[in-house]
Structure formats: C-alpha cells, structure tokens
Amino acid sequence: MQLIKKIFVFPKIIYVLIPIIIISFVFVNLPSNGIEVSSIEFIGEATLPKSLIFQNTEVGGLSGITYNTKDNLYYAISDDRGQKSAARFYTLKIDFSKGYLQKGGIIPVSVTTLLNENDQTFRPGETDTEGIALTNKATVFISSEGNAEKLINPFIKEFSLSSGREIVTLPIPNKFLPDKTSQKGIRNNLAFESLTITPDNKHLFTATENALIQDGVAAKPNIGSPCRILQYNLLNNQPEKEFFYQTEPVAPFLNLIGKFASGLPDLLALDNQGHFLSLERSFTGLGFAISLFQVSLEGADDIHNIDSLLAVESNNIKPVKKKLLLDLRKLDVLLDNIEGLTLGPKLPDGQQSLILISDNNFNSLQRTQILAFKIKTENPIIRLLRRLLPNINL
C-alpha cells in the first residue's frame, strides 16, 4: 500500500508542472511579450523658482529628462538656443523618500555645457536641444530640432556625461532634412523633441513632433498630425526602421488669442519589445491639454522606404497601436507646458515612479513644473495568470 501511495505522488507533481509548462510555452510564444501599465496614480507636484539662476545660467526650457538609476540623479536638457547661455543640460535631485513628490523636492546639482566635435560651445541659434536619453556607458544622447527656416538640420548626438563633449553623431535620413524648396523635411520647431533608449541599450527611438512636410498637415484644431517614429540600431549607430504615429485631434477651448499647437513631444521605452509611453501636448488657447498613451509597435508597418505618405495610400499603412492611459486635465492641477517624461526610482512601497517635466519657455507667466506618478506595470505572464486565476491577488 505504501508503494502504491508513493507511485501516485508523481502524477500530483505532474499536475503542478503541466500548467507551468503550458503557461511558459504561451509566454514565450506570445505575439506581444512586453510590459503594460495597469494603473497610474498621481503622487505630487513641484516647481522650480521662476528665473532661477544656477551656476551663472538661467534654469529653464527643460524639454526632456532622463534618469540615472545608479546615482539616483536626473539629467534635464534645456532648449535654450544659446540666447541665455550655451547649450546645456542640468543634473537634478528629486526626493521621493516619503513616497511622493514634495513641494521643494527638486534640487539642481550641476550644469553641463555641451561641446561640439571641436571642443567648442555651439553657436547661438545652431541648436534647439529638446530630447535626452542616458546610455549605459556614462554618456547621453541629445536631439536637436535644428531650424528648418534657416536650413539648419536636426541632429542626434552622443555626449560625455562628465565633460559634455560630443562623441558620436547619428546619421539622419534625407527625408527628414529641410531643403530650399520647403517641399520636404521637418517643419520648424516640430522635429525631434523625443528621445528614448530601450533597457537593453540596443535601440534608440525619436519621433517628429508633427508630420514631415511631404507626409501631411501639421496639427490644427480638431485635426491630428501623422508623425514618424524613427528607430536606430545602437550596435552600428544606423537608422533602420520608421513607424507611423497619428496624434489625437484636440479641440481648442475659449481660444480668444487664436494660437494653437499640438504634437508629440516625448516617448519613453518600457521594454525591448516595442512598448512605450507617449506624451501628447497641446496648447488649446486657454491652458494645456496633456495626455499619456501606451504605445505598441506590434503589427505596425515599417515605412522607412516610403519618402512621402501623401504619395501612397496611407490608409493601407498600419500605424502604431495607441491606448489612452491618462488625460492629465482630470487631475486637480494647473498644467503647464509638459514636454518630457522618464521613469524614476522604485518608491518605498516597491512601485515604479514616473516623472513629467515642463518647458517654461523662459516665460515669466509659465513655470518649470514637475509632476510625479506611481505606476504599476505587468508582463504577459502576470496578465495571463490574472485571467486564469481571477480570485488570486497578484
């Protein structure tokens, strides 16, 4: 009898192993095995003092931000075109020790001036630095929108984190470059605002804030714009793919002054499988409309061989997938010109922090605003287990 009982122990083990094997097989073969955000919670706001002078520079125009996990520091790029000081980025500390962002929780630590390939500062008007992304080798990539009206090309360059010296310049595909005919390329001030690197440091992504001239219209009231996401392979520093991203149409609100702007100012890679957060920002005439989306490249068409979306049947092109995560207008916060986002540290409760930052345009009526959130992310195996075992708290 004891022998029979021992024999029947094996099937029980098998009963446990079989679901694990099946789930593992499904996980490995899932068409999408990336991270998704399952919840988001606002955990505080802070602002820097207006017209803050730090190390002989005016802190402002902070258009992009990236996080150094190792040193618990942030690097924020200024879009000052050399009118206030030379092109530069700031190192910041942000205090999350209490699990939320306190009013005075942002402290400037240092300022790093960018130097070109000749170890000289960039000339005034030569740059419009907007995006910044940290690598795993003590460098940052920085994007500049250039100036289409003056035929100054956009760029994506790698700089030393410590010295600010230029190391590498990534090639920009010709379709993005402005020309004298004004029939192709980036629109002025609507180019490479965004910049992000995948966690494995193999790919870098940027995107146009609005459509290339040959791709379609710039955003207008109630009309979105067809942007391009541009993917680089950082193993050879070459562009390799492009994707179609459609911004949302936004309605102006009490637009008495007649000004309207809307676009895609930043992307944030969540994993190595083409999943991102995207930030869409609009000036609606009375305040700002800011939205966070979850984005997936899964199933999207690679359009790097298409020079003009207007020259093809763009309705047949599969765009990236988007899902609204949060409309920030629902927060009890007066929003400013939010342009950058990054993941921050894990909070005391183990949840992931997310930080957004605003560009004050060096305008006395605006603020350098930092918004903090707590997000919960799930991978496919957790989502699958949640569906299979709905009564278990995962």
Side-chain angles (χ1 to χ4, degrees):
M1 189 67 180
Q2 292 297 323
L3 179 61
I4 295 174
K5 287 183 178 180
K6 288 181 181 179
I7 291 174
F8 278 93
V9 168
F10 289 99
K12 292 180 180 179
I13 296 174
I14 292 173
Y15 294 150
V16 174
L17 289 176
I18 286 176
I20 293 175
I21 292 171
I22 293 173
I23 289 172
S24 299
F25 177 80
V26 172
F27 174 72
V28 170
N29 291 278
L30 279 173
S32 171
N33 58 350
I35 290 174
E36 289 186 7
V37 176
S38 58
S39 66
I40 183 167
E41 177 186 346
F42 179 59
I43 56 169
E45 172 195 16
T47 58
L48 289 175
K50 290 188 177 183
S51 302
L52 173 64
I53 302 298
F54 178 74
Q55 295 185 359
N56 299 316
T57 68
E58 183 176 343
V59 181
L62 303 185
S63 298
I65 188 168
T66 189
Y67 177 60
N68 185 332
T69 305
K70 180 181 177 182
D71 298 327
N72 193 26
L73 294 171
Y74 300 79
Y75 309 110
I77 186 70
S78 173
D79 69 356
D80 180 6
R81 299 190 182 196
Q83 307 304 313
K84 302 280 186 179
S85 299
R88 62 200 181 278
F89 67 85
Y90 292 90
T91 301
L92 308 173
K93 284 185 177 180
I94 301 180
D95 183 9
F96 282 108
S97 60
K98 294 187 177 181
Y100 60 92
L101 180 58
Q102 303 172 73
K103 293 294 183 182
I106 293 91
I107 302 171
V109 175
S110 64
V111 57
T112 304
T113 300
L114 301 181
L115 304 175
N116 63 21
E117 57 186 353
N118 299 316
D119 283 349
Q120 298 176 339
T121 58
F122 289 90
R123 297 187 303 272
E126 187 178 4
T127 67
D128 182 11
T129 46
E130 299 278 1
I132 185 169
L134 180 69
T135 74
N136 62 351
K137 50 185 180 179
T139 64
V140 286
F141 277 96
I142 291 174
S143 62
S144 170
E145 290 194 295
N147 188 324
E149 293 178 354
K150 296 182 178 180
L151 298 182
I152 297 175
N153 290 335
F155 70 64
I156 302 170
K157 296 177 183 287
E158 185 179 11
F159 295 88
S160 166
L161 196 57
S162 59
S163 69
R165 289 188 175 91
E166 179 182 329
I167 300 171
V168 169
T169 299
L170 300 186
I172 306 294
N174 186 62
K175 67 171 73 72
F176 292 89
L177 304 180
D179 68 4
K180 294 180 180 179
T181 68
S182 298
Q183 298 300 307
K184 65 174 283 289
I186 57 167
R187 287 179 160 90
N188 199 48
N189 206 33
L190 293 173
F192 298 148
E193 283 251 0
S194 57
L195 207 60
T196 188
I197 295 175
T198 54
D200 62 9
N201 275 268
K202 291 182 179 179
H203 293 95
L204 175 147
F205 291 85
T206 186
T208 56
E209 188 179 358
N210 266 208
L212 299 178
I213 293 173
Q214 70 270 26
D215 280 347
V217 299
K220 299 177 181 179
N222 302 302
I223 299 175
S225 188
C227 305
R228 285 187 189 240
I229 295 176
L230 175 56
Q231 174 183 322
Y232 282 87
N233 185 334
L234 291 182
L235 300 180
N236 59 17
N237 288 334
Q238 294 298 310
E240 58 181 7
K241 294 181 180 180
E242 296 170 23
F243 303 95
F244 171 27
Y245 179 109
Q246 180 70 41
T247 65
E248 298 301 303
V250 176
F253 180 69
L254 291 179
N255 196 353
L256 302 178
I257 59 177
K259 290 185 177 181
F260 179 86
S262 185
L264 171 64
D266 213 356
L267 288 171
L268 176 62
L270 293 175
D271 56 30
N272 305 317
Q273 286 78 39
H275 295 85
F276 304 84
L277 294 181
S278 71
L279 183 66
E280 294 190 24
R281 177 275 328 268
S282 303
F283 177 71
T284 65
L286 184 65
F288 294 90
I290 314 291
S291 294
L292 274 173
F293 293 86
Q294 295 191 65
V295 176
S296 173
L297 302 184
E298 180 190 341
D301 289 331
D302 178 5
I303 60 171
H304 82 276
N305 286 323
I306 300 175
D307 288 334
S308 169
L309 294 179
L310 291 176
V312 299
E313 290 292 334
S314 59
N315 290 336
N316 295 328
I317 297 174
K318 293 180 181 177
V320 303
K321 297 177 182 177
K322 294 170 55 183
K323 182 173 71 173
L324 181 64
L325 181 62
L326 177 66
D327 182 343
L328 273 68
R329 288 176 294 186
K330 296 180 179 180
L331 302 177
D332 187 21
V333 173
L334 179 62
L335 297 173
D336 212 289
N337 183 34
I338 300 292
E339 289 194 357
L341 77 164
T342 187
L343 295 177
K346 290 293 180 68
L347 298 168
D349 64 0
Q351 298 291 337
Q352 176 67 58
S353 61
L354 174 71
I355 294 91
L356 278 61
I357 195 166
S358 75
D359 172 4
N360 69 351
N361 293 309
F362 296 97
N363 185 331
S364 61
L365 299 178
Q366 293 183 250
R367 302 161 295 152
T368 297
Q369 179 184 49
I370 295 90
L371 303 178
F373 298 85
K374 177 193 299 187
I375 62 173
K376 184 176 182 180
T377 59
E378 291 182 344
N379 60 38
I381 197 164
I382 295 298
R383 293 195 296 274
L384 179 60
L385 288 172
R386 191 182 296 280
R387 288 197 295 268
L388 294 175
L389 306 168
N391 296 324
I392 293 181
N393 186 22
L394 297 172

